């Protein structure tokens, strides 16, 4: 996933104050990952060069394949998959490959980079020879990295020299960090290294692509491998926003957020980086800095291990639609050990993960996403009836869940009061409240029809303060 | 349990306006059960007579054993158990039996009831002959009923003629209702029947006592058996109160409450009637009316199937201390199907019922009472560590839980806002919120040290309105 299109949710493209000094506090390098929009054309690549040169600590650059320049552009990776499918069937892939070739040759020519013609010829030949799907898909990032390395007068380091997968397609983390670290350690100190995102190599020497999070994952791995001071994730927006801009007009940017807060917002719909792209650096305590290639002077959003929450108790509000509540009621349930376990077991046996399971004296509910429940509802209800024999079972659809996220919220008096006052003023009917497992959030369930009103009401209260 | 001593929580002894007309709307009889304080002496029994005569529909009277008249009085049932223990050992039980004899002979004499001396002599003889423990214990209610039946010129109907237990000591509900109904149907229409509470007879013809709820259960069974219009439960307080009077000064009385609301308040500490005393009439839709023998003109509290909640969204606030939160955290928990089920299974295997299990993105907590957890904490924590391998596990003690109870609360906007505003003003730190399983309550966890302040703050907000 690159930070584009609908995933751009919660990111801003307007911000303040130039600043590019506070990463230079020690000798550790910076890893800068540039997304699809940052390598879309020669103008964008020149911005990359300026950013890299602005700070000598930016020694490791990870790049995506070029993103769309306009709505009519095809996605490079989609075209590569198409070439592979044609090649596999023994059909001529030259038409889609011509589009790819034009794009890269145009980029290389504008940047004055030689050699692109040969790289493309070799790739076309491999496709015709029936190359693996992942190998073909990976060539978008490979070509980006080759061209940008040449333009920056940097060393091209292929991802296969560091990133190792097992035969099962799972990343070998420890081995990857060691190999990547020692390979990049071999790059001369005065040289920048450019590494293609999105792929690595398995134990059999075959190219493997990351299923999701793509180049963001590569950037995180490189940052971890070189013990970076920060993992910069350069995109076309100036960081995360306090709320979804499709629901709240001009939401405020988030300057600093912890990993845990970011994970909660992300889980509840505020997608910025995929979890897999966060864990390698999170584990190592390396902060992520989301920055805007087009406005490098903007603050962006720093994702950190700990932050001082004295001023901002709430960092953001996120939400998702499409939940269903299955409510069961049974008199004297509390005397029946195993009731809850049995209900969860029925869900598990049907391959359904549950989100929450609130309980009251004689009731137990489970909240599941519609995707999880999909088509299994009547089976689940029948089994619950049969196995735990509730007095009543009800299914309530069209529930939306909101998460109000901020560390230390539990230890701040009055946060809940503000949330529920805002919802009362907005005449939102609260269907469910869940607070107390994590000290980071309050989770509130409302009817789908109240969702947007609820989110705006809560945003308005906390935006004033932050 | 009789409604006395510390169990008197949440009951009032001051109320308004005499009224005794609104049960006479049809031909169905009223069952009136009188607790220990209502049969404590001759003066109290005269009040019973006045109450019974005030309404010809009061055809079935269930009585407890005499309660304590003062702190120095012994409990009749305790003395009976003592007599049984002595008799069982072949020892002389005449000393404790003399106290029992004095009490009943005094009562019979004051009321001008003959024959008590023979009843007591027979009982003493049976004890000396090694009568069953339950038989001995049941004689307190038996004697009450005989004396009161004679005083009221009513028919004495022994509980063994209607109430049937299986060999396992469990009530045979259907058989009991049929037998009791037909036995009481044989009582002449112009006669009142008096039935002793607390016991029945098993399939082998042995007396069996109810383990808890005692005479209240008998009253409920009789009401169900005769299709009563109402089950009156006469005690020494004028009904339930909105909050615990030990924590809130002069809480308002509750005039009307549904069974479900009553059950929730009762579960959270506001004990009035034991659940087993409620279910027989609840199932049949017969309302319970808690009344004060000493102030029969007071409204008391009506426990009903449905009520109009337009004016009173909140009927009461209850709470309990002594909960522990076990919090587990694990990154990407949501991708791990069965995590929650496994945690609950560990509790179940250790014989622990859980109260709540709030979840957040990467966390799952369980809330258990200290009695359930008692001594098993380190074992449970160790097993959770071993089986689900959380990144973090924390145990937080000294948690109190409050329940704010009122039907239709979920569909009332602003209730949560009021609750949390009140808690914020009282500077209460909210540790946990659980709302949404039942539409009847909001459950809030706070530190033990904040408990009383929290309860008072919430009471103050809702007492104003009701």
């Amino acid at each position: 996933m690159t930070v584009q299109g609908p995933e751009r949710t919660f990111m801003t493209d307007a911000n303040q104050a130039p600043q590019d000094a506070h990463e230079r506090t020690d000798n550790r390098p910076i890893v800068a990952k540039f997304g699809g929009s940052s390598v879309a054309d020669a103008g964008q690549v020149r911005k990359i060069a300026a950013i890299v040169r602005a700070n000598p600590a930016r020694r490791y650059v990870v790049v995506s394949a070029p993103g769309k320049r306009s709505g009519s552009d095809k996605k490079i990776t989609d075209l590569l998959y198409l070439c592979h499918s044609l090649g596999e069937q023994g059909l001529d892939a030259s038409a889609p490959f011509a589009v790819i070739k034009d794009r890269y040759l145009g980029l290389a020519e504008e940047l004055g980079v030689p050699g692109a013609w040969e790289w493309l010829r070799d790739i076309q030949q491999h496709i015709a020879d029936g190359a693996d799907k992942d190998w073909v898909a990976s060539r978008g990032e490979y070509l980006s990295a080759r061209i940008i390395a040449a333009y920056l007068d940097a060393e091209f380091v292929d991802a296969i020299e560091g990133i190792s997968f097992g035969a099962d397609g799972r990343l070998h983390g420890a081995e990857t960090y060691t190999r990547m670290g020692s390979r990049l350690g071999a790059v001369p100190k005065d040289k920048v290294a450019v590494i293609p995102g999105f792929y690595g190599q398995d134990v059999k020497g075959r190219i493997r692509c990351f299923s999701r999070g793509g180049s963001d994952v590569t950037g995180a791995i490189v940052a971890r491998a070189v013990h970076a001071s920060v993992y910069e994730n350069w995109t076309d927006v100036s960081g995360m926003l306090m709320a979804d801009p499709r629901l709240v007009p001009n939401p405020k940017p988030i300057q600093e957020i912890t990993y845990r807060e970011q994970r909660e917002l992300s889980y509840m719909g505020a997608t910025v980086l995929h979890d897999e792209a966060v864990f390698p650096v999170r584990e190592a305590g390396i902060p992520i800095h989301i920055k805007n290639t087009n406005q490098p002077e903007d603050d962006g959003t720093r994702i950190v291990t700990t932050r001082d929450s004295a001023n901002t108790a709430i960092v953001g509000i996120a939400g998702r639609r499409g939940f269903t509540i299955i409510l069961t009621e049974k008199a004297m349930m509390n005397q029946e050990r195993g009731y809850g376990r049995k209900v969860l077991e029925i869900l598990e046996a049907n391959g359904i993960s549950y989100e929450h399971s609130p309980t009251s004296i004689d009731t137990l509910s489970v909240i599941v996403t519609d995707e999880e429940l999909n088509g299994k509802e009547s089976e689940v209800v029948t089994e619950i009836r049969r196995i735990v024999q509730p007095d009543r079972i009800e299914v309530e659809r069209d529930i939306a869940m909101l998460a109000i996220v901020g560390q230390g919220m539990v230890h701040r008096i009055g946060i809940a009061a503000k949330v529920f006052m805002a919802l009362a003023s907005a005449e939102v009917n609260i269907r469910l409240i869940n607070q107390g497992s994590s000290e980071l959030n309050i989770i509130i369930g409302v009817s789908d029809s109240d969702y947007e009103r609820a989110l705006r009401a809560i945003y308005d209260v906390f935006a004033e303060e932050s």
Side-chain angles (χ1 to χ4, degrees), chain A:
Chain A
M1 170 217 97
T2 48
V3 187
Q4 285 191 331
E7 284 93 3
R8 204 186 296 170
T9 318
F10 286 62
M11 315 247 334
T12 178
D13 50 9
N15 218 312
Q16 318 85 6
Q19 52 99 267
D20 193 7
H22 73 257
E23 321 299 6
R24 293 190 205 132
T25 46
D26 59 31
N27 290 323
R28 287 177 297 159
I30 294 169
V31 171
K33 181 262 165 183
F34 293 91
S37 64
S38 304
V39 298
D41 60 30
Q44 291 300 90
V45 174
R46 287 188 196 103
K47 290 179 188 170
I48 293 180
I51 289 164
V52 170
R53 282 174 197 138
N55 189 338
R58 290 198 181 99
R59 294 193 49 226
Y60 305 106
V61 172
V62 176
V63 293
S64 295
K68 289 185 183 186
R69 293 160 299 185
S70 70
S72 65
D73 257 357
K74 302 280 175 263
K75 276 194 145 182
I76 292 289
T77 308
D78 289 344
L79 290 167
L80 287 165
Y81 280 127
L82 186 57
C83 292
H84 169 260
S85 298
L86 291 166
E88 209 177 22
Q89 311 282 330
L91 298 173
D92 177 24
S94 60
F97 200 78
V99 181
I100 297 166
K101 198 148 61 178
D102 280 0
R103 186 85 188 268
Y104 282 103
L105 289 177
L107 184 66
E109 191 179 358
E110 260 202 86
L111 294 170
V113 169
W117 193 88
E118 285 82 5
W119 301 330
L120 283 155
R121 189 197 51 199
D122 288 352
I123 291 167
Q124 190 166 18
Q125 188 57 52
H126 271 75
I127 292 172
D129 295 346
D132 269 4
K133 188 177 178 184
D134 276 17
W135 186 90
V136 178
S138 72
R139 295 304 94 183
E141 278 72 14
Y142 172 84
L143 286 166
S144 272
R146 299 247 28 182
I147 292 167
I148 291 164
Y151 179 68
L152 293 179
D153 192 22
E155 182 165 335
F156 170 79
V157 176
D158 199 343
I160 62 172
E161 298 180 65
I163 297 179
S164 306
F165 290 91
D168 59 355
R170 289 173 76 106
L171 183 73
H172 283 175
E175 185 187 330
T176 291
Y177 303 137
T178 310
R179 283 185 65 214
M180 184 61 90
S182 89
R183 173 64 188 86
L184 293 175
V187 175
K189 285 270 178 276
D190 59 347
K191 274 268 189 190
V192 166
V194 177
I195 306 108
F198 189 46
Y199 70 94
Q201 188 175 255
D202 72 13
V203 284
K204 297 188 174 167
R206 283 179 314 196
I207 294 276
R208 293 276 196 160
C209 294
F210 290 108
S211 58
R212 296 181 64 185
S215 300
D216 286 331
V217 179
T218 308
I221 288 170
V222 171
R224 169 95 176 246
V226 301
H227 307 289
S229 63
V230 62
Y231 169 31
E232 290 180 343
N233 195 288
W234 293 83
T235 174
D236 58 353
V237 290
S238 292
M240 298 174 72
L241 298 171
M242 272 190 76
D244 187 336
R246 291 168 301 185
L247 304 181
V248 171
N250 297 314
K252 292 195 177 185
I254 298 173
Q255 298 202 356
E256 198 172 52
I257 185 170
T258 67
Y259 283 114
R260 295 182 64 210
E261 290 169 331
Q262 182 274 334
R263 163 113 173 101
E264 304 228 358
L265 282 179
S266 151
Y267 186 79
M268 286 300 281
T271 313
V272 183
L273 294 169
H274 189 266
D275 296 327
E276 288 171 26
V278 171
F279 280 103
V281 283
R282 176 179 175 167
E283 280 173 9
I286 299 166
I288 299 174
H289 199 166
I290 297 169
K291 293 278 284 177
N292 189 345
T293 301
N294 305 314
Q295 290 175 260
E297 67 284 3
D298 282 356
D299 281 347
T301 299
R302 288 176 60 86
I303 307 174
V304 296
T305 305
T306 56
R307 70 179 181 90
D308 176 7
S309 57
N311 297 319
T312 45
I314 303 297
V315 293
I317 302 129
R320 276 162 69 191
R321 297 170 186 271
F323 291 89
T324 292
I325 300 177
I326 301 173
L327 182 148
T328 75
E329 181 174 350
K330 186 173 189 180
M332 315 289 273
M333 179 189 291
N334 64 308
Q335 294 187 3
E336 191 175 330
R337 226 158 249 157
Y339 186 99
R341 188 262 306 158
K342 285 175 199 162
V343 171
L344 298 188
E345 219 161 55
I346 292 164
L347 293 177
E348 196 181 344
N350 282 280
I352 298 167
S353 282
Y354 75 102
E355 300 288 318
H356 306 288
S357 175
T359 48
S360 183
I361 315 310
D362 288 333
T363 63
L364 179 140
S365 297
V366 281
I367 290 117
V368 294
T369 62
D370 294 346
E371 303 98 71
E372 288 283 323
L373 190 58
N374 182 28
K376 299 171 192 159
E377 183 187 312
S378 69
E379 206 169 318
V380 165
V381 167
T382 304
E383 281 182 45
I384 291 174
R385 279 223 177 86
R386 184 173 61 81
I387 292 168
V388 300
Q389 303 184 327
D391 301 334
R392 185 164 72 103
I393 181 162
E394 265 177 37
V395 176
E396 194 175 346
R397 289 176 201 78
D398 297 325
I399 297 292
M401 304 285 280
L402 286 104
I404 301 125
V405 175
Q407 77 178 14
M409 210 158 51
V410 164
H411 304 293
R412 283 284 277 277
I413 288 162
I415 299 279
K418 280 182 191 160
V419 168
F420 295 107
M421 281 293 282
L423 293 177
S425 304
E427 302 200 340
V428 171
N429 198 340
I430 297 159
R431 195 51 204 81
L432 182 141
I433 308 169
N434 186 331
Q435 187 221 302
S437 179
S438 152
E439 60 266 46
L440 287 183
N441 66 28
I442 302 179
I443 292 170
I444 296 170
V446 298
S447 294
D448 191 80
S449 55
D450 284 348
Y451 170 57
E452 298 191 9
R453 206 165 70 251
L455 195 134
R456 276 192 290 267
I458 297 169
Y459 172 80
D460 288 345
V461 175
F462 291 105
E464 276 172 29
E465 302 184 347
S466 71

